[in-house]
Amino acid sequence: MAWSAREWWVRLRVQQKVWAILFVVFLPVVVALAVHLSVTKQLLGLQQQQHELALLREEIRVLRRLVVDSEEAFRSYVITQQEAFLIPLEEGERKLQPALATALAMAADLPAFEDGLRKAGERLTALLRAEHRLIAELRSGHATAIMPDVRSGRGLKLADELRHDFRRLEDQLDKQLGS
C-alpha cells in the first residue's frame, strides 16, 4: 500500500501536489477554527445568560429591600407620626414599578419564574396600597380605628411572606446560575 501511495504521488503533476499539500495542511486548521468558533459562541451565549440572571437577581434584591423599607417606614410612622419616616416608603414606591417591570422583562424567558415574580409584585403593590390607606386614616384622625388592624400584625405577616417569596425567587436564580 505504501508503494502504491508513492506511485500515486509520483504520477501527480506539480500543481496537483501543491493542492494536495495545501489540503492536508489547511483542512485541520479550518476544522479547528470552526470548532473553536462554535465553542466560543456557546460560551458567549452562556456568559450572556449568566449575566442576565445576575441582573435579574439584583432587581429581585431591590424588590425585597422595598418590602423591608416600606414596612419599617410604615411602622415607624404609625408609632411616631413624623412625616420623615415616610420618605423611604415614598422612594420605594417610585422604584417599585420600574424595578418590577425590569425584572418581569428579564424573566420573560422563564415562565414559571415570571409567574411567581408577577404574583409577588401584585402582593407588594397591594401591601403598599393598604399601608397608604391606613396612613390616610391615621392622618384624618382615626388612629383608634386603625390601631387594631396595625396591632393584628397582618401587614407585618404579609411583609414577611413577601420577603420569603422574593428570597425563594433569589434561591431559584442561584440554582440556575450554579447550573
Side-chain angles (χ1 to χ4, degrees):
M1 177 126 183
W3 183 255
S4 65
R6 180 176 283 190
E7 285 179 12
W8 173 77
W9 182 255
V10 170
R11 290 182 184 174
L12 289 178
R13 291 181 287 158
V14 173
Q15 184 181 11
Q16 291 173 329
K17 287 179 183 178
V18 169
W19 282 110
I21 290 171
L22 289 175
F23 182 74
V24 168
V25 171
F26 287 113
L27 182 65
V29 172
V30 170
V31 169
L33 282 174
V35 168
H36 179 71
L37 286 174
S38 173
V39 169
T40 303
K41 186 176 179 179
Q42 287 177 344
L43 288 176
L44 286 174
L46 288 174
Q47 185 180 24
Q48 178 66 25
Q49 185 180 17
Q50 185 177 16
H51 180 69
E52 289 171 1
L53 289 175
L55 288 175
L56 178 57
R57 187 170 184 251
E58 281 304 311
E59 289 298 324
I60 290 174
R61 281 187 179 171
V62 168
L63 291 169
R64 188 172 53 139
R65 187 67 209 161
L66 288 175
V67 173
V68 173
D69 289 347
S70 70
E71 188 58 31
E72 287 177 2
F74 174 73
R75 294 282 170 185
S76 298
Y77 178 76
V78 168
I79 292 170
T80 64
Q81 295 184 6
Q82 293 181 11
E83 297 290 324
F85 287 107
L86 292 179
I87 292 172
L89 180 65
E90 293 165 357
E91 288 176 359
E93 282 186 312
R94 282 193 297 272
K95 294 177 186 176
L96 173 64
Q97 290 307 321
L100 190 57
T102 302
L104 286 170
M106 290 179 179
D109 295 338
L110 310 166
F113 187 80
E114 181 184 18
D115 187 45
L117 185 59
R118 185 179 316 281
K119 288 177 183 176
E122 290 169 359
R123 291 176 61 201
L124 178 54
T125 303
L127 174 67
L128 292 174
R129 271 192 244 122
E131 287 176 349
H132 275 293
R133 182 184 51 80
L134 293 172
I135 289 170
E137 287 185 35
L138 185 62
R139 285 179 176 161
S140 67
H142 297 100
T144 55
I146 68 161
M147 288 317 252
D149 194 30
V150 172
R151 286 189 182 118
S152 73
R154 284 191 304 255
L156 190 57
K157 182 181 176 188
L158 180 59
D160 285 343
E161 289 172 1
L162 279 169
R163 277 197 313 272
H164 290 299
D165 288 349
F166 284 123
R167 183 64 203 163
R168 234 184 331 266
L169 291 171
E170 281 184 64
D171 290 344
Q172 288 176 357
L173 281 176
D174 287 342
K175 285 180 186 176
Q176 279 195 308
L177 281 169
S179 67

